[in-house]
Amino acid sequence: MKRRNNSNGRKKKSITRQFTFIIAGLVAGTVLLCWLLNVTLLEGYYKRNKQELMVSAFERIYDASGRGMLTQRDFDVEFENICANGNITILIITPEGGLVRCSSSGVENLQIQFSSLIMAGIQNEKLDMDLVEANVRYVMGESEDTRLGSDYLILWGTLADGNLMLARTPLESIKESAEISNQLLFRVGIAAVIISCIVTFFVSRRITKPLLKLTDISKQMAELDFDVKYEGSGHNEIDELGKHMNQLSGTLEHTISELKSANIALQKDIEKREQIDEMRKEFLSNVSHELKTPLALIQGYAEGLQECVQEDEESFDFYCEVIVDEAEKMNHMVKKLLTLNQLEFGNDDVVMERFDVTELISGILDNSAILLEQNGIAVEFDEPPVYVWGDEFRIEEVVTNYLSNAIHYASGDRRIRISYERGEGRVRISVFNTGDPIPEEEQERIWVKFYKVDKARTREYGGSGIGLSIVKAVMDSLHQKCGVENCQDGVAFWLELDIDSQKG
């Protein structure tokens, strides 16, 4: 927890600030490096350049002297260019000291300096200058003019025609140029760093703005919010990244939606499995309970017969009648369970055919006439022929179950009324019986196997609580509806079927 708090407490490092500091540092470092190179190398570079100019001037004059051009007027322009381009002062004299050419008015000073250099060279004395280069034709070095207090780069040598040449150029201009260049570079460098910081800041803001947007989008994606999308009209790498993040967002949203759907389906499957397991346990318990009583009766009366408990033929017949009756109930319940099992698992094929449902119901009432008479029940059924589509055998089982329930639960006036209610392409068949209404909270549960609203009443006539479960399974297999509703003086069970349009 402490580490997490420290992490959350850290300041966010702005990529714009980092980018600005990096660029500004690079510019400042480059300018500083250039300034240091200028300070250390520029003066020497200037000197080397001056030396090359001095040597080039000597070579050109040496060549002109070899061609006898030194005293010609045609050489005046070239001589002036040589002196002006390199800021060189040149003096050419004869071996006897006579003046041949001079680029400056201060001839006497140049002659004095030239004479001292010649005398030092002839007498092999140490030259009053720092040698830079020396060969058979010329000597070049640095010397100080004590009168002027200035340093010069000096070259003197013998020309092709035997004349002597002295050339010099001031070094102070080189130092001044280097200092001016360094000062300019320093000021330009400071300005460049400031401008680069400003430009980099705004440019980086423009570059990092979409990155910050992508950061916010990724944060919302991490929180499973996929509504925000990146909007960019460019074609650079950042815009491509934004488009890919939009695709990733859509893919994640779709995947999470599928996972949630799969999770819901899995939870439903788990609940269904648990429900099936509970139903299996309940089913086994109910079957055991329903079979326990008839089995106990059969066992008890069979043991009585075996031990000859009966004293007369009438008692013997009664024992046998009880055993047969209970065995028949068990057989009837097992058949219903097998039928229900086939319906629920789809093992029994549906045979769709057209038949007259009025004729079907009339046949069922004829078969149940004795049972109706024994229970003192009056039946009202006066409907014209209606042709419907369905599995005739299964519809017969549904109507039989409805009629059986109506007979056993009829009370009061003890009436049963079977009626039709026609709709668009459909007919609703209702089986009504007078009696007590079914509580609303029980109406959804009566279709469950072994569920009994009035257990004492059901036990009285031997009901197993499977009949309405079979009705529900039959109507589901036919993709038709069934239900129950309380009426003013009784209860009505109903089912719906498709009417044959030609004879309905």
Side-chain angles (χ1 to χ4, degrees), residues 197-300:
C197 288
I198 296 173
V199 173
T200 303
F201 177 78
F202 288 103
V203 172
S204 62
R205 279 285 297 272
R206 187 172 181 179
I207 294 175
T208 57
K209 185 176 180 180
L211 290 176
L212 295 175
K213 180 66 175 176
L214 290 174
T215 302
D216 293 337
I217 292 174
S218 64
K219 182 179 179 181
Q220 294 186 12
M221 287 174 60
E223 296 173 355
L224 302 181
D225 181 5
F226 304 103
D227 292 334
V228 179
K229 300 295 182 183
Y230 177 79
E231 297 177 358
S233 57
H235 300 283
N236 53 36
E237 291 82 354
I238 296 177
D239 292 316
E240 290 296 323
L241 176 61
K243 293 176 183 178
H244 294 161
M245 287 196 68
N246 288 341
Q247 296 175 0
L248 176 62
S249 175
T251 303
L252 285 175
E253 184 176 12
H254 179 68
T255 303
I256 291 175
S257 177
E258 289 183 344
L259 286 174
K260 287 184 177 179
S261 299
N263 187 41
I264 292 173
L266 179 60
Q267 289 179 351
K268 288 182 178 179
D269 288 341
I270 293 173
E271 292 175 358
K272 189 174 180 180
R273 284 179 176 272
E274 292 176 351
Q275 184 179 7
I276 291 174
D277 188 56
E278 291 296 324
M279 290 174 63
R280 180 183 61 82
K281 293 178 181 178
E282 184 180 357
F283 176 79
L284 292 175
S285 176
N286 289 329
V287 170
S288 300
H289 179 74
E290 293 294 332
L291 293 178
K292 181 174 64 176
T293 300
L295 283 174
L297 290 173
I298 291 173
Q299 183 180 3

Side-chain angles (χ1 to χ4, degrees), residues 81-236:
N81 288 334
I82 292 173
C83 296
N85 291 338
N87 191 24
I88 303 173
T89 301
I90 298 176
L91 172 66
I92 301 175
I93 60 176
T94 62
E96 292 80 14
L99 180 65
V100 179
R101 275 186 182 276
C102 183
S103 62
S104 174
S105 57
V107 178
E108 296 179 358
N109 185 34
L110 289 173
Q111 286 180 333
I112 294 172
Q113 187 177 15
F114 201 2
S115 299
S116 63
L117 290 172
I118 292 172
M119 293 302 296
I122 292 173
Q123 297 176 6
N124 292 324
E125 294 179 0
K126 183 177 179 181
L127 297 174
D128 188 17
M129 67 176 181
D130 297 327
L131 286 176
V132 175
E133 184 180 353
N135 55 39
V136 293
R137 290 196 293 178
Y138 63 84
V139 175
M140 182 167 53
E142 296 181 14
S143 178
E144 181 182 3
D145 190 333
T146 56
R147 185 176 63 86
L148 299 177
S150 301
D151 292 333
Y152 289 89
L153 181 64
I154 298 175
L155 182 146
W156 65 275
T158 304
L159 300 177
D161 58 0
N163 292 325
L164 302 176
M165 171 183 166
L166 173 65
R168 73 177 186 180
T169 183
L171 294 178
E172 290 297 326
S173 61
I174 295 176
K175 295 179 180 179
E176 291 177 359
S177 298
E179 290 178 359
I180 292 172
S181 176
N182 290 333
Q183 290 177 4
L184 177 63
L185 183 60
F186 179 75
R187 294 173 181 174
V188 170
I190 293 176
V193 171
I194 296 173
I195 294 173
S196 67
C197 288
I198 296 173
V199 173
T200 303
F201 177 78
F202 288 103
V203 172
S204 62
R205 279 285 297 272
R206 187 172 181 179
I207 294 175
T208 57
K209 185 176 180 180
L211 290 176
L212 295 175
K213 180 66 175 176
L214 290 174
T215 302
D216 293 337
I217 292 174
S218 64
K219 182 179 179 181
Q220 294 186 12
M221 287 174 60
E223 296 173 355
L224 302 181
D225 181 5
F226 304 103
D227 292 334
V228 179
K229 300 295 182 183
Y230 177 79
E231 297 177 358
S233 57
H235 300 283
N236 53 36

